[in-house]
Amino acid sequence: MDNKLPKVPEKALEALKNGIQSVLDSKDWAGFLSAIRCIHDYSFNNKLLIMLAQHERGWGFSPFVAGATKWKDKFNRQLKQGEFTKPIWILAPVLIKKTDDNGQVICREDGTPVQVPIRFRGVKVYDHHQTKGDPIPEPDTSGMLAQLDGNISYQVLQGMIAVAERRGVEYCLTPAEELSGALGRCWFANGGRASKIEISQELNTVTAVSVLAHELGHAILHNRDEYQEHDSSSIKELEAESVAYLVCSHYGVDLGSRSFQYIISHNTASDDVVADLLKSGDRIFRAYEEIIKTVEDHQIQLAATRELLLV
């Protein structure tokens, strides 16, 4: 059976393309990432559809979107009268059990069946403006680190170095003069995978975090040929800088939008660029989530080690 993801319905695809084009036209990729970063449990494409629907209805952006049942069961809120027929439509794949050539269901090691998508279906979700009931909870910011004057905990940098180590990528500090004016660079082995990341040894911690996040973006998302062929205005650079922007935003470091303005200005909203960005979205967020999760795991391990030393 073919394992390729089914084609997105034309109407939905058109909406997604229009959304990407509007972002490119506004040249505010940073603002767009900041907005959709707050929506959890949805794919990049669905985050984009939600954001577009909220904008069209004049609500302003909000991460509080859920199905009617979830609003009722988890938040004790109900849809207002007449809102059931005015959903925000997003996409979900229809899954079936994968079978072998003899028609037998293929299972994983834990006994659960392997499922594959065959098509998309529309799913209804609702913005909090369409509901009433208990107060909406404040977003959980417990994972954010307090920042003072642009500083960041050195543990975050250590955790990001751990991301490289888990991927078998060497991390090293390099004299600035050896980087030809760059703050960092990623090297790739003959097999095509990232093998080494160099960062200027003259950077302070917060700058090192932002540069390392960018180079980790390249290491996670790209292979040797893609990295060598890209330039400072390419989609590949936009992908890596998007990862850095999301990681730094998570830790309260404001990179602003300047890094995107140059890249976006060189990418007019052609069909190729729109298609590339649609494909990039999920990959960018997966790289961001991998980095954040590894940093958090590293910090937990450090805390556990300190406790053992104090016993």
Side-chain angles (χ1 to χ4, degrees), residues 139-190:
D140 180 12
T141 58
S142 60
M144 303 286 283
L145 298 182
Q147 304 300 313
L148 294 173
D149 299 323
N151 293 325
I152 193 168
S153 169
Y154 186 69
Q155 290 183 6
V156 174
L157 179 59
Q158 290 178 310
M160 291 176 63
I161 294 172
V163 177
E165 292 174 346
R166 285 191 182 186
R167 286 188 153 263
V169 177
E170 179 187 358
Y171 170 81
C172 60
L173 296 175
T174 301
E177 60 269 17
E178 295 182 16
L179 291 173
S180 303
L183 298 180
R185 62 187 174 192
C186 187
W187 294 88
F188 291 79
N190 291 334

Side-chain angles (χ1 to χ4, degrees), residues 244-273:
Y245 182 87
L246 290 168
V247 170
C248 289
S249 295
H250 180 82
Y251 294 113
V253 178
D254 182 13
L255 296 183
S257 61
R258 291 173 299 176
S259 57
F260 294 108
Q261 290 171 350
Y262 174 75
I263 301 169
I264 291 291
S265 67
H266 285 74
N267 287 298
T268 56
S270 66
D271 288 342
D272 287 344
V273 170

Side-chain angles (χ1 to χ4, degrees), residues 16-300:
L16 291 168
K17 287 184 175 180
N18 289 340
I20 288 292
Q21 181 149 357
S22 68
V23 174
L24 289 172
D25 289 344
S26 72
K27 303 193 185 301
D28 188 17
W29 184 256
F32 170 65
L33 286 179
S34 291
I36 67 172
R37 175 175 86 89
C38 300
I39 302 182
H40 302 287
D41 303 324
Y42 294 103
S43 69
F44 174 81
N45 286 351
N46 281 334
K47 290 176 182 180
L48 180 55
L49 290 173
I50 290 168
M51 182 174 157
L52 289 172
Q54 291 173 328
H55 177 72
E56 290 172 356
R57 301 181 193 193
W59 291 330
F61 176 76
S62 167
F64 294 109
V65 177
T69 301
K70 186 173 182 179
W71 275 122
K72 180 180 178 181
D73 295 344
K74 186 172 181 179
F75 300 102
N76 196 28
R77 294 178 66 87
Q78 296 77 39
L79 295 181
K80 296 176 182 176
Q81 186 174 1
E83 293 297 335
F84 181 78
T85 59
K86 303 174 186 177
I88 295 174
W89 286 98
I90 61 174
L91 298 168
V94 175
L95 303 174
I96 63 170
K97 294 177 181 178
K98 185 177 181 179
T99 58
D100 59 23
D101 293 338
N102 297 318
Q104 298 297 312
V105 174
I106 299 173
C107 293
R108 299 183 179 86
E109 291 183 359
D110 62 3
T112 58
V114 175
Q115 294 184 310
V116 294
I118 57 170
R119 61 183 173 86
F120 282 98
R121 65 183 176 89
V123 175
K124 299 176 182 178
V125 293
Y126 299 88
D127 180 271
H128 72 92
H129 289 90
Q130 298 173 277
T131 67
K132 62 181 180 180
D134 288 354
I136 297 174
E138 291 294 323
D140 180 12
T141 58
S142 60
M144 303 286 283
L145 298 182
Q147 304 300 313
L148 294 173
D149 299 323
N151 293 325
I152 193 168
S153 169
Y154 186 69
Q155 290 183 6
V156 174
L157 179 59
Q158 290 178 310
M160 291 176 63
I161 294 172
V163 177
E165 292 174 346
R166 285 191 182 186
R167 286 188 153 263
V169 177
E170 179 187 358
Y171 170 81
C172 60
L173 296 175
T174 301
E177 60 269 17
E178 295 182 16
L179 291 173
S180 303
L183 298 180
R185 62 187 174 192
C186 187
W187 294 88
F188 291 79
N190 291 334
R193 295 174 61 87
S195 59
K196 181 171 71 172
I197 289 175
E198 290 182 297
I199 300 296
S200 171
Q201 64 185 21
E202 298 178 7
L203 303 180
N204 61 29
T205 302
V206 68
T207 306
V209 164
S210 66
V211 174
L212 180 53
H214 180 102
E215 299 305 332
L216 283 172
H218 281 306
I220 295 170
L221 297 175
H222 306 141
N223 58 40
R224 181 186 59 184
D225 292 340
E226 290 173 328
Y227 186 79
Q228 290 178 344
E229 291 173 1
H230 91 290
D231 59 38
S232 59
S233 63
S234 73
I235 293 296
K236 304 307 177 188
E237 193 67 12
L238 179 61
E239 290 176 340
E241 190 62 13
S242 296
V243 172
Y245 182 87
L246 290 168
V247 170
C248 289
S249 295
H250 180 82
Y251 294 113
V253 178
D254 182 13
L255 296 183
S257 61
R258 291 173 299 176
S259 57
F260 294 108
Q261 290 171 350
Y262 174 75
I263 301 169
I264 291 291
S265 67
H266 285 74
N267 287 298
T268 56
S270 66
D271 288 342
D272 287 344
V273 170
V274 171
D276 283 344
L277 287 177
L278 280 174
K279 289 186 290 186
S280 295
D282 271 325
R283 297 170 64 243
I284 289 168
F285 272 83
R286 283 198 297 270
Y288 154 66
E289 288 164 358
E290 175 184 335
I291 293 171
I292 295 304
K293 178 65 167 58
T294 302
V295 172
E296 290 175 351
D297 289 345
H298 182 76
Q299 291 177 331
I300 291 171

